[in-house]
């Protein structure tokens, strides 16, 4: 009967050693019991730091799909993967990731701005301006969003102004008397070209600091109009081609890009 306490003590020691061994084994494997390795954000963060897009898509994707991942970790993983998709020109997938990010946290100005840039690249200006505006509203000091919002606003303003005068030449068609003027008024493409030629001439003359060069630019425009009026209707004279060549010559002064496409000869 007196040996029982000793036996009990020995059993407790064995149990303690067994527990220590199990703990040691668990630590040796690099994880605690019940830990989900995929929910660890470390590999995703490391891949993002290394700018390894394929790795980012792989390991961050695993974290995103893991139900045990925390919301902040999932947001970081989505942002990283969206950037990787963007660099791979997979714009729709990048937008989809930013959509999910903003559902999880609508207050992220960076996500709004990044998605806005993608919408702009896709040509969806209305969605882009909304995202840029949201980013600026969330963070008035967000430099990139402010620049994007301003530049796109000016672009939309210019497009609106162009639409208002689309198909209209630089002169009043009600006062057109010459056959060439009537032809320009009757053709929206020629009308747009005429308006661009006059606007580009005015701009280059106004911006030229050398008065002599300004006079030469205006004289060249006057000569073009004189030849246009005299040559229109003659065999072999192509009015549209002559106007495009004139516009290209004006734009070559300072490399200004006009809104009317220049076709190769």
């Amino acid at each position: 009967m007196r040996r029982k306490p000793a036996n009990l003590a020995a059993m407790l020691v064995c149990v303690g050693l067994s527990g220590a061994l199990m703990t040691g084994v668990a630590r040796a494997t690099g994880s605690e019991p019940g830990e989900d390795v995929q929910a660890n954000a470390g590999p995703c963060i490391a891949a993002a730091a290394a700018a390894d897009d394929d790795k980012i898509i792989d390991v961050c994707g695993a974290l995103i799909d893991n139900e045990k991942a925390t919301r902040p970790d999932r947001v970081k993983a989505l942002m990283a993967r969206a950037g990787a998709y963007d660099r791979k020109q997979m714009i729709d997938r990048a937008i989809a990731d930013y959509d999910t990010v903003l559902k999880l946290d609508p207050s992220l100005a960076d996500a709004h701005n990044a998605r806005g840039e993608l919408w702009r690249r896709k040509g969806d200006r209305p969605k882009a301006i909304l995202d840029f505006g949201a980013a600026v509203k969330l963070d008035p000091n967000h430099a990139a969003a402010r620049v994007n919002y301003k530049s796109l606003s000016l672009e939309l303003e210019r497009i609106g102004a162009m639409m208002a005068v689309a198909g209209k030449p630089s002169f009043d068609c009600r006062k057109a008397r010459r056959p060439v003027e009537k032809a320009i008024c009757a053709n929206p493409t020629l009308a747009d070209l005429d308006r661009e030629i006059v606007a580009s001439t005015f701009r280059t003359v106004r911006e030229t600091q050398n008065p002599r060069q300004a006079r030469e630019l205006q004289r060249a425009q006057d000569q073009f109009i004189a030849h246009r009026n005299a040559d229109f209707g003659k065999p072999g004279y192509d009015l549209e081609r002559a106007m495009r060549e004139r516009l290209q010559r004006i734009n070559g002064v300072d490399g200004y890009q006009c809104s009317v496409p220049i076709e190769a000869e």
Side-chain angles (χ1 to χ4, degrees):
M1 295 297 292
R2 292 181 180 179
R3 294 180 181 178
K4 287 184 179 180
N7 292 337
L8 179 59
M11 290 175 63
L12 290 174
V13 170
C14 290
V15 170
L17 289 173
S18 297
L21 287 172
M22 291 299 294
T23 302
V25 171
R27 289 177 179 172
T29 59
S31 61
E32 295 296 332
E35 180 184 0
D36 190 332
V37 176
Q38 284 188 319
N40 180 10
C44 176
I45 295 172
D52 186 338
D53 290 338
D54 291 330
K55 189 73 172 178
I56 290 171
I57 292 171
D58 182 21
V59 297
C60 293
L63 180 62
I64 292 165
D65 296 336
N66 193 301
E67 296 179 355
K68 295 183 180 180
T70 64
R71 178 177 294 188
D73 284 346
R74 183 172 283 114
V75 167
K76 292 176 184 177
L78 283 162
M79 291 285 286
R81 190 173 70 174
Y85 281 146
D86 182 4
R87 290 186 290 273
K88 283 179 168 290
Q89 303 300 314
M90 302 168 73
I91 296 178
D92 290 334
R93 290 192 177 186
I95 289 175
D97 274 355
Y98 285 125
D99 288 344
T100 306
V101 166
L102 292 170
K103 287 179 182 178
L104 294 171
D105 188 351
S107 67
L108 294 177
D110 283 341
H112 278 289
N113 182 66
R115 188 175 67 176
E117 291 177 346
L118 293 172
W119 282 127
R120 190 174 189 177
R121 281 161 57 188
K122 281 178 67 71
D124 195 330
R125 295 182 182 88
K127 288 184 179 179
I129 197 71
L130 287 175
D131 264 336
F132 295 148
V136 172
K137 186 176 181 179
L138 288 166
D139 181 4
N141 296 319
H142 197 296
R146 287 170 62 88
V147 170
N148 285 332
Y149 185 82
K150 183 177 181 180
S151 66
L152 184 53
S153 296
L154 292 173
E155 183 180 339
L156 290 171
E157 182 179 341
R158 181 172 179 269
I159 291 172
M162 289 177 61
M163 290 178 64
V165 296
K168 297 179 181 179
S170 62
F171 54 88
D172 188 347
C173 286
R174 293 173 298 181
K175 299 179 180 179
R177 297 291 180 269
R178 298 178 183 274
V180 66
E181 294 173 340
K182 294 180 180 179
I184 291 172
C185 289
N187 187 318
T189 298
L190 297 178
D192 287 338
L193 282 167
D194 175 80
R195 188 182 64 257
E196 289 285 352
I197 288 171
V198 172
S200 294
T201 299
F202 176 78
R203 177 185 53 77
T204 53
V205 170
R206 181 189 60 191
E207 294 179 356
T208 299
Q209 297 181 354
N210 187 323
R212 180 178 179 180
Q213 186 178 12
R215 289 193 297 271
E216 291 176 351
L217 289 169
Q218 186 58 57
R219 187 180 301 112
Q221 174 64 12
D222 294 340
Q223 290 175 349
F224 166 75
I225 296 296
H227 286 302
R228 182 201 70 181
N229 294 343
D231 294 341
F232 178 73
K234 293 182 178 180
Y237 181 76
D238 187 329
L239 176 59
E240 181 176 343
R241 179 173 179 174
M243 295 177 76
R244 289 187 182 278
E245 289 177 347
R246 174 58 186 158
L247 184 60
Q248 189 175 36
R249 191 169 296 112
I250 298 170
N251 292 337
V253 173
D254 61 358
Y256 175 77
Q257 295 297 318
C258 69
S259 59
V260 179
I262 307 297
E263 295 180 353
E265 297 184 10

